[in-house]
């Protein structure tokens, strides 16, 4: 849709950009501002805690709907992520971390489409970065504590390699473990939530503009645009779940790797 066509109603359509994600609510507008995603992160903690308390308040062999919902999510993380990836011997101690990460990320992702929140907290890079750094500290600590620093670093290089290629593999693995993994873990979640929300805002505000400010042709075009916004919202719901799942799946994979004798 050309800018000229969109502007046919009298004034131009302002394409949403990254500025829509910077929403300070209180205090300074600088780095110390209390922002909308900060408040949403706190609200998500209250919501998750409330749902868990409500779902587990009266545990019974015949579960209520709330208990069943909590157990379904818990078993998804415990069994398909924790047990199947980390292994039967070590997974139990990491289930609280993996479940907390999944619940926190998923609820904050859902905020992107749920009124009145309608803002994905993870679209601000600091949030996924902090979560990735928690995983980073855990999987490196596990490896160093289990093998010692020397043994952990030695495990970066598989046995049987020609001696001339060992330094190159070691450097590549060192960068992977200490730089690439936390950065990509954070960027994947941030990028998906940022791009998805930007596209939704573009479709919705564009359709709204065409409906209320456009000519007859644009008013007609607004109908499929609203439909596309609805379909994109459904797709975004799937992406929100998958990104939370992928984050904890990779976290479990990194932890499991720290237990392996060779990487």
């Amino acid at each position: 849709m050309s800018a000229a066509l969109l502007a046919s109603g009298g004034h131009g359509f302002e394409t949403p950009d990254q500025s829509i994600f910077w929403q300070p609510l209180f205090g300074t507008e600088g780095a110390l501002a209390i922002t909308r995603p900060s408040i949403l992160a706190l609200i998500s903690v209250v919501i998750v805690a409330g749902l868990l308390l409500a779902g587990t308040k009266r545990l019974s062999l015949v579960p209520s709907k709330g208990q069943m919902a909590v157990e379904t999510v818990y078993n998804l993380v415990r069994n398909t992520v924790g047990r199947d990836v980390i292994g039967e011997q070590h997974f139990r101690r990491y289930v609280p971390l993996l479940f907390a990460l999944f619940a926190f990320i998923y609820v904050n992702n859902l905020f992107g489409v749920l009124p009145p929140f309608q803002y994905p907290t993870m679209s601000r890079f600091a949030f996924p970065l902090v979560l990735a750094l928690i995983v980073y500290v855990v999987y490196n600590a596990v490896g160093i504590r289990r093998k010692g620093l020397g043994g952990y670093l030695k495990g970066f290089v598989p046995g049987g390699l020609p001696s001339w290629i060992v330094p190159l593999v070691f450097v590549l693995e060192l960068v992977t473990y200490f730089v690439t993994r936390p950065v990509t873990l954070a960027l994947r979640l941030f990028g998906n939530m940022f791009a998805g929300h930007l596209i939704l805002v573009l479709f919705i505000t564009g359709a709204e503009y065409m409906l209320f400010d456009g000519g007859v042709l644009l008013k007609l075009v607004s109908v499929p645009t609203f439909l596309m916004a609805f379909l994109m919202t459904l797709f975004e719901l799937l992406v929100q779940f998958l990104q939370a799942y992928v984050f904890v799946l990779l976290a479990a994979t990194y932890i499991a790797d720290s237990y392996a004798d060779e990487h």
Side-chain angles (χ1 to χ4, degrees):
M1 188 65 63
S2 69
L5 183 59
L6 286 173
S8 63
H11 55 274
F13 171 68
E14 294 185 6
T15 306
D17 56 23
Q18 72 278 4
S19 64
I20 66 173
F21 295 95
W22 175 241
Q23 300 184 20
L25 298 180
F26 309 104
T28 174
E29 293 187 355
L32 298 179
I34 298 176
T35 62
R36 182 176 177 184
S38 302
I39 300 299
L40 291 179
L42 294 176
I43 293 174
S44 71
V45 173
V46 175
I47 290 176
V48 171
L51 291 175
L52 291 177
L53 289 173
T56 58
K57 189 175 182 180
R58 295 185 178 86
L59 296 176
S60 64
L61 292 176
V62 181
S64 63
K65 292 181 180 178
Q67 181 183 338
M68 184 179 298
V70 170
E71 288 179 349
T72 299
V73 178
Y74 178 80
N75 287 331
L76 172 72
V77 176
R78 179 188 185 277
N79 298 334
T80 65
V81 178
R83 185 188 61 194
D84 293 352
V85 175
I86 299 176
E88 187 73 38
Q89 183 178 358
H90 303 293
F91 83 98
R92 286 182 176 80
R93 69 184 65 178
Y94 302 105
V95 171
L97 171 66
L98 297 174
F99 181 77
L101 286 173
F102 178 81
F104 181 74
I105 294 172
Y106 187 43
V107 169
N108 278 283
N109 287 352
L110 283 176
F111 282 169
V113 297
L114 289 181
F117 309 110
Q118 294 174 303
Y119 186 108
T121 311
M122 299 301 156
S123 63
R124 295 296 295 178
F125 185 62
F127 289 95
L129 179 62
V130 168
L131 299 180
L133 288 176
I134 292 173
V135 175
Y136 170 83
V137 170
V138 169
Y139 76 73
N140 280 307
V142 168
I144 293 172
R145 186 175 62 180
R146 182 169 181 268
K147 306 170 186 175
L149 179 59
Y152 184 56
L153 296 176
K154 185 180 179 181
F156 287 178
V157 182
L161 290 179
S163 58
W164 62 270
I165 204 173
V166 168
L168 177 61
V169 172
F170 178 78
V171 172
L172 290 176
E173 290 296 308
L174 192 68
V175 172
T176 297
Y177 272 71
F178 290 97
V179 179
T180 307
R181 280 184 173 183
V183 171
T184 55
L185 193 61
L187 281 177
R188 183 181 296 104
L189 178 57
F190 158 75
N192 277 278
M193 291 303 101
F194 181 92
H197 190 68
L198 193 62
I199 291 173
L200 285 182
V201 173
L202 176 62
F203 271 100
I204 293 172
T205 57
E208 182 183 23
Y209 173 83
M210 288 187 284
L211 179 62
F212 294 108
D213 297 303
V216 176
L217 178 59
L218 287 181
K219 291 184 186 300
L220 292 175
V221 174
S222 71
V223 176
T225 307
F226 272 120
L227 176 61
M228 193 63 191
F230 174 73
L231 294 176
M232 290 298 297
T233 301
L234 296 181
F235 181 71
E236 185 67 9
L237 283 169
L238 175 62
V239 172
Q240 289 165 350
F241 168 79
L242 289 177
Q243 286 305 313
Y245 185 78
V246 168
F247 191 97
V248 294
L249 185 65
L250 288 173
T253 302
Y254 298 158
I255 293 170
D257 201 28
S258 295
Y259 279 104
D261 293 331
E262 289 186 350
H263 303 292

